[in-house]
Amino acid sequence: MKNKIYGNKFALDTFEAMFKSGRLPHSFLIYGEKGLGKKALAEYLSAALLCEKGTGIPCGECRSCRNAEKGVHPDIIYPEHSGKLNTYTVETCRHVCADAFIAPNNGSAKVYVFTDADNIQLPAQNSLLKIVEEPPDFVYFIFTASSKDVFLPTIISRVTSVGVSPCTFDECAQALGIKGYESSRISEAMENFGGNIGMCVEYLENESLRVITSLTKRAADSIISRDEYSLLTVMSSAELKDRHMSAVFLEMLDRIIRDCTALKFNKSASLISCYPKGAEKLADSISVKSAEKIHNLLNTAAADVRANVNSILLMSALCGEIINS
Ligand SMILES: [Zn+2]
């Protein structure tokens, strides 16, 4: 099973060392950007916690590991997202608190995995505080989220946080090669998403992400050349009439702005956007202040898109504001 995890060697080694030392925490938070393998790591840890061989590495052969791999282990529990925000509600968390005191079905432990906890609200977090602080001996919790900031400091102080990071280019290329993609397409995906395997796969599989990526780069080029007409052409593309697509576009463009700001302060900053070259040119052409203004405009626009504001009107207004900032 370890061979299914690419990169994140530090996280795996830390876990193994904690396991072997007998000082294993009961709650983990795996955090980091979309596509970096948080869920895969959560699956790996759950399997390791329940593996009958108890070495800290899932053997992949025992009954527990086989069930974990098939996703049918009764002691690996994935509470469900629900409600308006599609997240973990207070009711769901209270149910987990009660269920946690019931002994495991098969193995010696029970693992609750809360994936994509980004929208989890404060009342739900508060309802988990006590159980996360003092869980029954056989209970483990694993949370995954894009950032630690999602959680209350009181939760953060009770969990062991593990950050995921992009793979090296070689690891990513190898992982994508095993999945059967052609090398020219792998290079194209990695040009946009570096060592982020999840995003590379999405790029290769999903035509709309390829379109959005290209629109995002064109938008950045228009900002660099201060060309309002060309920015307007990009922003009024038919693809951006879709709310989800326009939200992804705004997020990807904001990452280029983020990279540009990072480069202003540190020429060798590590970059996270799909267009490092564009971010470099942008850093030469706009001030930190303008970058901050554009960042704020993009954030407000993203909130408006989520709140269902007409995205065509929004994009054309945004376009003028960006060029003038
Ligand atoms: Zn095993």
Side-chain angles (χ1 to χ4, degrees), residues 47-48 50-55 57-66:
L50 291 165
C51 172
E52 288 161 17
K53 299 205 173 144
T55 59
I57 300 173
C59 71
E61 288 159 10
C62 71
R63 197 164 68 119
S64 179
C65 283
R66 289 199 314 269

Side-chain angles (χ1 to χ4, degrees), residues 14 36 42 51 56 62 72 79 141 159 176 180 193 240 245 265 271 276 289:
T14 310
L36 293 183
C51 172
C62 71
V72 296
F141 292 100
V159 301
L176 296 171
F193 295 100
L240 296 181
M245 298 280 266
F265 291 103
L271 306 181
K289 224 174 169 185

Side-chain angles (χ1 to χ4, degrees), residues 37 65 76 116 156-157 213 215 240 267 294 296 301:
C65 283
I76 301 178
D116 290 328
I156 292 295
S157 67
T213 306
L215 288 175
L240 296 181
K267 285 238 175 295
I294 298 176
N296 290 334

Side-chain angles (χ1 to χ4, degrees), residues 109-134:
K110 260 170 125 171
V111 189
Y112 293 90
V113 189
F114 291 78
T115 55
D116 290 328
D118 282 76
N119 284 333
I120 188 167
Q121 301 293 293
L122 299 188
Q125 294 191 40
N126 277 321
S127 70
L128 289 172
L129 271 183
K130 201 162 175 295
I131 192 88
V132 170
E133 173 150 47
E134 280 184 85

Side-chain angles (χ1 to χ4, degrees), residues 26-218:
H26 278 252
S27 303
F28 298 88
L29 164 61
I30 302 171
Y31 67 94
E33 274 172 55
K34 182 174 155 60
L36 293 183
K38 296 187 292 294
K39 189 154 182 253
L41 197 55
E43 284 169 2
Y44 176 91
L45 290 193
S46 317
L49 287 165
L50 291 165
C51 172
E52 288 161 17
K53 299 205 173 144
T55 59
I57 300 173
C59 71
E61 288 159 10
C62 71
R63 197 164 68 119
S64 179
C65 283
R66 289 199 314 269
N67 282 339
E69 190 140 14
K70 281 187 257 166
V72 296
H73 201 302
D75 295 318
I76 301 178
I77 301 140
Y78 287 85
E80 282 182 6
H81 283 196
S82 62
K84 254 194 199 161
L85 292 168
N86 191 30
T87 185
Y88 301 106
T89 61
V90 180
E91 292 70 32
T92 303
C93 294
R94 286 197 185 128
H95 175 74
V96 168
C97 294
D99 188 65
F101 287 95
I102 301 169
N105 282 285
N106 286 352
S108 53
K110 260 170 125 171
V111 189
Y112 293 90
V113 189
F114 291 78
T115 55
D116 290 328
D118 282 76
N119 284 333
I120 188 167
Q121 301 293 293
L122 299 188
Q125 294 191 40
N126 277 321
S127 70
L128 289 172
L129 271 183
K130 201 162 175 295
I131 192 88
V132 170
E133 173 150 47
E134 280 184 85
D137 273 350
F138 52 81
V139 169
Y140 294 87
F141 292 100
I142 302 174
F143 298 91
T144 77
S146 63
S147 148
K148 280 198 213 180
D149 301 340
V150 166
F151 291 96
L152 288 165
T154 40
I155 292 265
I156 292 295
S157 67
R158 288 163 168 83
V159 301
T160 298
S161 300
V162 184
V164 287
S165 45
C167 297
T168 63
F169 273 51
D170 284 349
E171 285 167 338
C172 185
Q174 190 197 352
L176 296 171
I178 288 171
K179 288 180 192 288
Y181 298 111
E182 280 170 31
S183 59
S184 60
R185 296 197 69 217
I186 292 176
S187 308
E188 185 192 327
M190 287 177 56
E191 216 168 88
N192 292 303
F193 295 100
N196 184 323
I197 298 177
M199 288 306 289
C200 285
V201 169
E202 201 169 328
Y203 180 86
L204 291 165
E205 292 291 326
N206 185 338
E207 163 81 27
S208 29
L209 183 60
R210 293 196 290 276
V211 172
I212 293 292
T213 306
S214 141
L215 288 175
T216 308
K217 290 178 167 179
R218 280 174 54 201

